[in-house]
Amino acid sequence: MNRIGLLTSGGDAPGMNATVRAVVRTGLDAGMDVLGIKRGYNGLINGDIDRMGPRSVSNIIQRGGTILMSARAEEFRRKPGRSKAIHNLHVHGIEGLVVIGGDGTFRGAQQLLKEWNGKVVGVPGTIDNDLYGTDYTIGFDTAVNTALDAIDKIRDTASAHERTFLVEVMGRHAGFIALDVAVAGGAEIALIPETQTTIKQVAEALTENRSKGKTSSIVVVAEGDEEGGVMHVAAELKKHHGIDTRVCILGHIQRGGSPTAADRLLGSRLGAYAVELLGKGKSGVMAGEINHKLVA
Ligand code: F6P
């Protein structure tokens, strides 16, 4: 493998830059040319592709976001878009690709592999932690800590005003962020898509807590919970149970910020491992870590 390409795609995640750095430096160390592709698969379609040297990734390990930028590439979902991408892969002599992203990114990679004779290795970069084949995805730990920091602050005002807060966290269809944040933040209730909890049950638990002397509560709501969104939960609690709440949607704040040590380490290990896998001729796999062991 002489020349590899690298892209970040889908929702950005803290630690993607650490991963990019590891891919570039490991690739160069192995004697490969490393080409950075901008804005995910859009960069492949538009030929937004440049050589990366060792200094191109200096001073980024501590930065959130991704220096390669990211996108959800609609055009790549369709054959003509992918044909343009494959043309550019040939023009630039790219033999192997490292794609850093989540499930959408990997669906794109699988489709690409059906139409292109190069090799592709995935690296799990998403705050959602919703990928098979790794204990943790890059960005999850930082997102949990960011949300936790917010919840600790909300706890202060909730306690001062003896209020109940509903805090919505990201995770798309998965409740990993919500569950970890709820346990680590001592939340009273967590609503996650993996379990069914009705609004009536929430109301009963809150009322019981009050009767036992608890004056404030935090309910963590995963954005993908089956109850249909935090605003709906708040409205129903008020309408049917007379429970007044305050709502806080943490949103994209969870995607930003300097990555934790855990995410920098995970990104560094998985980025280096992805290049190693490509060097060994592997393709159609994701670099993951299970029980502290690197796995494909
Ligand atoms: O997949 C990461 C994620 O942040 C999800 O948690 C969230 O549902 C989604 O992306 C938001 O996507 P966008 O940034 O495109 O609004």
Side-chain angles (χ1 to χ4, degrees):
M1 180 79 45
N2 294 315
R3 183 170 271 214
I4 62 170
L6 163 67
L7 60 82
T8 50
S9 161
D12 63 314
M16 276 185 165
N17 278 327
T19 317
V20 167
R21 173 178 174 274
V23 170
V24 171
R25 296 233 168 119
T26 309
L28 294 174
D29 197 50
M32 299 170 178
D33 294 335
V34 183
L35 278 66
I37 298 148
K38 292 272 173 68
R39 300 175 189 85
Y41 293 116
N42 282 339
L44 268 187
I45 294 169
N46 302 326
D48 207 348
I49 302 170
D50 283 313
R51 281 281 282 272
M52 296 184 84
R55 298 281 77 77
S56 66
V57 289
S58 294
N59 199 18
I60 65 166
I61 197 167
Q62 77 282 18
R63 283 167 53 193
T66 157
I67 58 161
L68 291 178
M69 292 171 280
S70 194
R72 303 191 195 277
E74 277 305 311
E75 206 183 337
F76 195 74
R77 289 172 201 258
R78 294 181 290 275
K79 184 97 196 257
R82 288 195 299 277
S83 298
K84 282 191 216 163
I86 290 167
H87 171 76
N88 282 323
L89 281 164
H90 288 310
V91 166
H92 288 270
I94 295 173
E95 299 157 274
L97 257 188
V98 175
V99 297
I100 306 167
D103 51 358
T105 304
F106 296 162
R107 269 194 296 277
Q110 278 186 320
Q111 198 55 44
L112 177 68
L113 273 177
K114 288 182 190 152
E115 297 159 19
W116 176 53
N117 61 0
K119 305 207 181 295
V120 184
V121 169
V123 181
T126 166
I127 64 165
D128 300 338
N129 203 33
D130 58 348
L131 294 174
Y132 173 81
T134 191
D135 286 339
Y136 294 104
T137 57
I138 297 155
F140 174 69
D141 186 67
T142 307
V144 166
N145 278 288
T146 301
L148 196 56
D149 183 53
I151 287 199
D152 288 346
K153 289 178 172 131
I154 290 167
R155 181 72 82 182
D156 289 344
T157 176
S159 164
H161 283 265
E162 302 183 300
R163 279 175 171 157
T164 294
F165 269 80
L166 307 181
V167 184
E168 187 187 274
V169 297
M170 278 188 168
R172 204 180 283 273
H173 305 299
F176 292 104
I177 296 178
L179 192 57
D180 275 22
V181 161
V183 174
E188 279 62 35
I189 301 167
L191 296 182
I192 58 172
E194 292 83 357
T195 61
Q196 275 227 319
T197 308
T198 63
I199 291 172
K200 185 162 170 275
Q201 285 172 313
V202 175
E204 283 167 1
L206 289 172
T207 308
E208 194 190 334
N209 284 348
R210 287 264 169 194
S211 73
K212 286 182 182 162
K214 196 179 267 282
T215 56
S216 66
S217 292
I218 300 229
V219 181
V220 177
V221 184
E223 65 173 341
D225 185 68
E226 75 282 353
E227 279 303 339
V230 71
M231 299 311 292
H232 175 70
V233 176
E236 293 289 295
L237 281 172
K238 180 78 182 156
K239 188 169 161 200
H240 299 294
H241 306 278
I243 296 176
D244 195 32
T245 59
R246 290 291 184 276
V247 170
C248 183
I249 300 176
L250 298 184
H252 287 80
I253 201 167
Q254 295 159 97
R255 290 237 298 258
S258 181
T260 58
D263 277 329
R264 297 182 200 192
L265 285 167
L266 187 63
S268 300
R269 294 188 80 194
L270 296 186
Y273 186 48
V275 176
E276 201 184 300
L277 288 170
L278 275 181
K280 286 181 180 157
K282 299 270 189 233
S283 184
V285 295
M286 184 191 83
E289 194 181 66
I290 296 178
N291 286 334
H292 304 292
K293 284 210 176 82
L294 295 171
V295 290

mmCIF file of all heavy atoms in Angstrom, residues 16-46:
data_model
loop_
_atom_site.group_PDB
_atom_site.id
_atom_site.type_symbol
_atom_site.label_atom_id
_atom_site.label_comp_id
_atom_site.label_asym_id
_atom_site.label_seq_id
_atom_site.Cartn_x
_atom_site.Cartn_y
_atom_site.Cartn_z
ATOM 1 N N MET A 16 -11.468 13.347 16.914
ATOM 2 C CA MET A 16 -11.234 13.083 15.482
ATOM 3 C C MET A 16 -9.867 13.619 15.066
ATOM 4 O O MET A 16 -9.153 12.998 14.279
ATOM 5 C CB MET A 16 -12.324 13.726 14.625
ATOM 6 C CG MET A 16 -13.582 12.877 14.495
ATOM 7 S SD MET A 16 -14.771 13.613 13.361
ATOM 8 C CE MET A 16 -15.878 12.206 13.083
ATOM 9 N N ASN A 17 -9.491 14.786 15.606
ATOM 10 C CA ASN A 17 -8.179 15.349 15.224
ATOM 11 C C ASN A 17 -7.029 14.474 15.707
ATOM 12 O O ASN A 17 -6.030 14.309 14.993
ATOM 13 C CB ASN A 17 -8.030 16.765 15.786
ATOM 14 C CG ASN A 17 -8.708 17.794 14.899
ATOM 15 O OD1 ASN A 17 -8.749 17.632 13.671
ATOM 16 N ND2 ASN A 17 -9.236 18.837 15.504
ATOM 17 N N ALA A 18 -7.184 13.906 16.896
ATOM 18 C CA ALA A 18 -6.145 12.997 17.399
ATOM 19 C C ALA A 18 -6.034 11.791 16.458
ATOM 20 O O ALA A 18 -4.941 11.275 16.203
ATOM 21 C CB ALA A 18 -6.487 12.544 18.815
ATOM 22 N N THR A 19 -7.170 11.378 15.932
ATOM 23 C CA THR A 19 -7.194 10.226 15.026
ATOM 24 C C THR A 19 -6.534 10.580 13.691
ATOM 25 O O THR A 19 -5.721 9.813 13.156
ATOM 26 C CB THR A 19 -8.657 9.778 14.788
ATOM 27 O OG1 THR A 19 -9.357 9.799 16.022
ATOM 28 C CG2 THR A 19 -8.713 8.395 14.181
ATOM 29 N N VAL A 20 -6.874 11.752 13.176
ATOM 30 C CA VAL A 20 -6.280 12.221 11.922
ATOM 31 C C VAL A 20 -4.752 12.276 12.075
ATOM 32 O O VAL A 20 -3.994 11.799 11.222
ATOM 33 C CB VAL A 20 -6.828 13.623 11.549
ATOM 34 C CG1 VAL A 20 -6.011 14.276 10.437
ATOM 35 C CG2 VAL A 20 -8.296 13.529 11.148
ATOM 36 N N ARG A 21 -4.313 12.828 13.183
ATOM 37 C CA ARG A 21 -2.875 12.962 13.452
ATOM 38 C C ARG A 21 -2.206 11.581 13.451
ATOM 39 O O ARG A 21 -1.140 11.390 12.855
ATOM 40 C CB ARG A 21 -2.707 13.657 14.805
ATOM 41 C CG ARG A 21 -1.297 13.738 15.326
ATOM 42 C CD ARG A 21 -1.337 14.495 16.657
ATOM 43 N NE ARG A 21 -0.062 14.530 17.338
ATOM 44 C CZ ARG A 21 0.370 13.591 18.149
ATOM 45 N NH1 ARG A 21 -0.355 12.506 18.357
ATOM 46 N NH2 ARG A 21 1.538 13.727 18.750
ATOM 47 N N ALA A 22 -2.859 10.624 14.111
ATOM 48 C CA ALA A 22 -2.272 9.285 14.199
ATOM 49 C C ALA A 22 -2.212 8.611 12.825
ATOM 50 O O ALA A 22 -1.216 7.956 12.493
ATOM 51 C CB ALA A 22 -3.087 8.435 15.174
ATOM 52 N N VAL A 23 -3.267 8.784 12.043
ATOM 53 C CA VAL A 23 -3.288 8.170 10.702
ATOM 54 C C VAL A 23 -2.165 8.765 9.856
ATOM 55 O O VAL A 23 -1.394 8.040 9.211
ATOM 56 C CB VAL A 23 -4.659 8.392 10.019
ATOM 57 C CG1 VAL A 23 -4.611 7.991 8.545
ATOM 58 C CG2 VAL A 23 -5.751 7.616 10.749
ATOM 59 N N VAL A 24 -2.058 10.103 9.867
ATOM 60 C CA VAL A 24 -1.048 10.765 9.024
ATOM 61 C C VAL A 24 0.363 10.349 9.449
ATOM 62 O O VAL A 24 1.170 9.911 8.625
ATOM 63 C CB VAL A 24 -1.205 12.314 9.112
ATOM 64 C CG1 VAL A 24 -0.031 13.012 8.435
ATOM 65 C CG2 VAL A 24 -2.526 12.740 8.479
ATOM 66 N N ARG A 25 0.630 10.423 10.730
ATOM 67 C CA ARG A 25 2.008 10.149 11.180
ATOM 68 C C ARG A 25 2.355 8.666 11.038
ATOM 69 O O ARG A 25 3.482 8.324 10.680
ATOM 70 C CB ARG A 25 2.182 10.624 12.623
ATOM 71 C CG ARG A 25 2.005 12.152 12.737
ATOM 72 C CD ARG A 25 3.160 12.818 13.427
ATOM 73 N NE ARG A 25 3.108 14.270 13.287
ATOM 74 C CZ ARG A 25 3.007 15.121 14.307
ATOM 75 N NH1 ARG A 25 2.933 14.663 15.545
ATOM 76 N NH2 ARG A 25 3.008 16.420 14.079
ATOM 77 N N THR A 26 1.400 7.779 11.287
ATOM 78 C CA THR A 26 1.678 6.341 11.139
ATOM 79 C C THR A 26 1.880 6.001 9.664
ATOM 80 O O THR A 26 2.780 5.234 9.310
ATOM 81 C CB THR A 26 0.511 5.492 11.714
ATOM 82 O OG1 THR A 26 0.234 5.946 13.027
ATOM 83 C CG2 THR A 26 0.860 4.019 11.752
ATOM 84 N N GLY A 27 1.038 6.584 8.819
ATOM 85 C CA GLY A 27 1.160 6.330 7.378
ATOM 86 C C GLY A 27 2.504 6.807 6.849
ATOM 87 O O GLY A 27 3.209 6.074 6.139
ATOM 88 N N LEU A 28 2.883 8.027 7.213
ATOM 89 C CA LEU A 28 4.160 8.574 6.727
ATOM 90 C C LEU A 28 5.324 7.741 7.252
ATOM 91 O O LEU A 28 6.280 7.450 6.517
ATOM 92 C CB LEU A 28 4.321 10.032 7.184
ATOM 93 C CG LEU A 28 3.328 11.039 6.582
ATOM 94 C CD1 LEU A 28 3.505 12.413 7.225
ATOM 95 C CD2 LEU A 28 3.504 11.138 5.065
ATOM 96 N N ASP A 29 5.226 7.315 8.492
ATOM 97 C CA ASP A 29 6.282 6.506 9.101
ATOM 98 C C ASP A 29 6.442 5.164 8.371
ATOM 99 O O ASP A 29 7.546 4.610 8.302
ATOM 100 C CB ASP A 29 5.925 6.275 10.574
ATOM 101 C CG ASP A 29 7.122 5.806 11.372
ATOM 102 O OD1 ASP A 29 8.176 6.456 11.254
ATOM 103 O OD2 ASP A 29 7.013 4.794 12.084
ATOM 104 N N ALA A 30 5.330 4.684 7.828
ATOM 105 C CA ALA A 30 5.380 3.402 7.104
ATOM 106 C C ALA A 30 5.781 3.609 5.638
ATOM 107 O O ALA A 30 5.746 2.667 4.833
ATOM 108 C CB ALA A 30 4.015 2.718 7.194
ATOM 109 N N GLY A 31 6.105 4.847 5.299
ATOM 110 C CA GLY A 31 6.550 5.136 3.930
ATOM 111 C C GLY A 31 5.426 5.377 2.939
ATOM 112 O O GLY A 31 5.650 5.381 1.717
ATOM 113 N N MET A 32 4.232 5.575 3.444
ATOM 114 C CA MET A 32 3.092 5.811 2.537
ATOM 115 C C MET A 32 2.943 7.309 2.268
ATOM 116 O O MET A 32 3.332 8.133 3.089
ATOM 117 C CB MET A 32 1.779 5.344 3.193
ATOM 118 C CG MET A 32 1.714 3.883 3.533
ATOM 119 S SD MET A 32 0.242 3.578 4.560
ATOM 120 C CE MET A 32 0.331 1.812 4.779
ATOM 121 N N ASP A 33 2.321 7.653 1.148
ATOM 122 C CA ASP A 33 1.822 9.015 0.949
ATOM 123 C C ASP A 33 0.458 9.064 1.627
ATOM 124 O O ASP A 33 -0.331 8.119 1.499
ATOM 125 C CB ASP A 33 1.585 9.319 -0.533
ATOM 126 C CG ASP A 33 2.879 9.326 -1.320
ATOM 127 O OD1 ASP A 33 3.944 9.567 -0.720
ATOM 128 O OD2 ASP A 33 2.808 9.068 -2.539
ATOM 129 N N VAL A 34 0.196 10.173 2.319
ATOM 130 C CA VAL A 34 -1.120 10.300 2.970
ATOM 131 C C VAL A 34 -1.825 11.531 2.400
ATOM 132 O O VAL A 34 -1.279 12.638 2.414
ATOM 133 C CB VAL A 34 -0.993 10.420 4.498
ATOM 134 C CG1 VAL A 34 -2.375 10.474 5.141
ATOM 135 C CG2 VAL A 34 -0.191 9.256 5.075
ATOM 136 N N LEU A 35 -3.036 11.324 1.880
ATOM 137 C CA LEU A 35 -3.797 12.422 1.290
ATOM 138 C C LEU A 35 -5.030 12.718 2.141
ATOM 139 O O LEU A 35 -5.798 11.800 2.471
ATOM 140 C CB LEU A 35 -4.229 12.070 -0.138
ATOM 141 C CG LEU A 35 -3.174 12.297 -1.229
ATOM 142 C CD1 LEU A 35 -1.985 11.358 -1.067
ATOM 143 C CD2 LEU A 35 -3.782 12.131 -2.598
ATOM 144 N N GLY A 36 -5.194 13.977 2.497
ATOM 145 C CA GLY A 36 -6.355 14.385 3.281
ATOM 146 C C GLY A 36 -7.488 14.799 2.352
ATOM 147 O O GLY A 36 -7.281 15.542 1.396
ATOM 148 N N ILE A 37 -8.674 14.290 2.637
ATOM 149 C CA ILE A 37 -9.851 14.587 1.812
ATOM 150 C C ILE A 37 -10.778 15.475 2.665
ATOM 151 O O ILE A 37 -11.128 15.097 3.788
ATOM 152 C CB ILE A 37 -10.561 13.272 1.415
ATOM 153 C CG1 ILE A 37 -9.590 12.415 0.578
ATOM 154 C CG2 ILE A 37 -11.858 13.543 0.669
ATOM 155 C CD1 ILE A 37 -9.777 10.933 0.742
ATOM 156 N N LYS A 38 -11.157 16.617 2.107
ATOM 157 C CA LYS A 38 -11.933 17.589 2.885
ATOM 158 C C LYS A 38 -13.439 17.341 2.802
ATOM 159 O O LYS A 38 -13.954 16.926 1.773
ATOM 160 C CB LYS A 38 -11.659 19.009 2.369
ATOM 161 C CG LYS A 38 -10.238 19.506 2.635
ATOM 162 C CD LYS A 38 -10.129 20.183 3.986
ATOM 163 C CE LYS A 38 -8.706 20.542 4.365
ATOM 164 N NZ LYS A 38 -8.146 21.597 3.523
ATOM 165 N N ARG A 39 -14.125 17.645 3.900
ATOM 166 C CA ARG A 39 -15.598 17.600 3.977
ATOM 167 C C ARG A 39 -16.185 16.224 3.664
ATOM 168 O O ARG A 39 -17.133 16.078 2.895
ATOM 169 C CB ARG A 39 -16.225 18.635 3.045
ATOM 170 C CG ARG A 39 -15.803 20.051 3.396
ATOM 171 C CD ARG A 39 -16.306 21.095 2.427
ATOM 172 N NE ARG A 39 -15.672 22.348 2.737
ATOM 173 C CZ ARG A 39 -14.469 22.718 2.287
ATOM 174 N NH1 ARG A 39 -13.792 21.940 1.474
ATOM 175 N NH2 ARG A 39 -13.942 23.859 2.656
ATOM 176 N N GLY A 40 -15.579 15.209 4.237
ATOM 177 C CA GLY A 40 -16.106 13.852 4.088
ATOM 178 C C GLY A 40 -16.138 13.397 2.645
ATOM 179 O O GLY A 40 -15.253 13.722 1.849
ATOM 180 N N TYR A 41 -17.174 12.641 2.292
ATOM 181 C CA TYR A 41 -17.267 12.107 0.924
ATOM 182 C C TYR A 41 -17.441 13.219 -0.111
ATOM 183 O O TYR A 41 -17.157 13.018 -1.290
ATOM 184 C CB TYR A 41 -18.419 11.099 0.839
ATOM 185 C CG TYR A 41 -18.178 9.839 1.641
ATOM 186 C CD1 TYR A 41 -18.977 9.497 2.725
ATOM 187 C CD2 TYR A 41 -17.125 8.976 1.314
ATOM 188 C CE1 TYR A 41 -18.748 8.342 3.461
ATOM 189 C CE2 TYR A 41 -16.889 7.812 2.046
ATOM 190 C CZ TYR A 41 -17.712 7.509 3.122
ATOM 191 O OH TYR A 41 -17.466 6.367 3.834
ATOM 192 N N ASN A 42 -17.899 14.396 0.329
ATOM 193 C CA ASN A 42 -18.021 15.514 -0.625
ATOM 194 C C ASN A 42 -16.665 15.862 -1.235
ATOM 195 O O ASN A 42 -16.572 16.217 -2.409
ATOM 196 C CB ASN A 42 -18.579 16.760 0.068
ATOM 197 C CG ASN A 42 -20.074 16.661 0.276
ATOM 198 O OD1 ASN A 42 -20.748 15.885 -0.407
ATOM 199 N ND2 ASN A 42 -20.601 17.409 1.232
ATOM 200 N N GLY A 43 -15.615 15.763 -0.411
ATOM 201 C CA GLY A 43 -14.268 16.061 -0.894
ATOM 202 C C GLY A 43 -13.791 15.074 -1.932
ATOM 203 O O GLY A 43 -13.027 15.433 -2.847
ATOM 204 N N LEU A 44 -14.260 13.845 -1.810
ATOM 205 C CA LEU A 44 -13.902 12.838 -2.831
ATOM 206 C C LEU A 44 -14.612 13.168 -4.146
ATOM 207 O O LEU A 44 -14.037 13.074 -5.225
ATOM 208 C CB LEU A 44 -14.360 11.450 -2.373
ATOM 209 C CG LEU A 44 -13.395 10.566 -1.592
ATOM 210 C CD1 LEU A 44 -14.000 9.182 -1.410
ATOM 211 C CD2 LEU A 44 -12.042 10.463 -2.287
ATOM 212 N N ILE A 45 -15.878 13.562 -4.008
ATOM 213 C CA ILE A 45 -16.669 13.885 -5.204
ATOM 214 C C ILE A 45 -16.097 15.119 -5.917
ATOM 215 O O ILE A 45 -15.992 15.158 -7.145
ATOM 216 C CB ILE A 45 -18.152 14.118 -4.807
ATOM 217 C CG1 ILE A 45 -18.756 12.808 -4.298
ATOM 218 C CG2 ILE A 45 -18.959 14.692 -5.971
ATOM 219 C CD1 ILE A 45 -20.109 12.950 -3.627
ATOM 220 N N ASN A 46 -15.699 16.120 -5.120
ATOM 221 C CA ASN A 46 -15.232 17.388 -5.705
ATOM 222 C C ASN A 46 -13.726 17.449 -5.919
ATOM 223 O O ASN A 46 -13.206 18.479 -6.360
ATOM 224 C CB ASN A 46 -15.642 18.559 -4.796
ATOM 225 C CG ASN A 46 -17.152 18.595 -4.596
ATOM 226 O OD1 ASN A 46 -17.908 18.259 -5.504
ATOM 227 N ND2 ASN A 46 -17.598 18.964 -3.409
#
